[in-house]
Amino acid sequence: MAKTGLDKLALVLVIIGALVWLSVGLFRFDIVAQLFGGSTSIVSRIIYSLVGIAGIYSISMLFTSRHAHD
């Protein structure tokens, strides 16, 4: 199955989220909070929410076939 633009966007957001969590886990550094005024700022909360929504959307990719069936 071909990836749609939405699939690619979701994957990019999930990867960004994974990198943010890696930096938090290894270095106790939240780059989103640092760049956008703290973890409670509206911009940070929007970014966290978009990454979370992308993660939930990406669950559907687990159940789709990689090859198109006739």
Side-chain angles (χ1 to χ4, degrees):
M1 175 176 239
K3 288 202 185 314
T4 66
L6 187 58
D7 291 346
K8 290 178 183 179
L9 176 62
L11 185 57
V12 166
L13 289 172
V14 169
I15 291 168
I16 289 169
L19 294 173
V20 168
W21 277 110
L22 178 65
S23 71
V24 169
L26 292 178
F27 309 113
R28 293 186 187 183
F29 180 72
D30 184 347
I31 193 166
V32 173
Q34 184 68 31
L35 290 174
F36 299 107
S39 62
T40 59
S41 77
I42 190 69
V43 177
S44 294
R45 292 179 60 207
I46 290 169
I47 292 170
Y48 295 140
S49 296
L50 288 173
V51 170
I53 291 166
I56 292 169
Y57 175 82
S58 295
I59 293 170
S60 69
M61 289 186 229
L62 290 173
F63 302 105
T64 57
S65 174
R66 294 182 117 193
H67 305 287
H69 298 286
D70 295 326

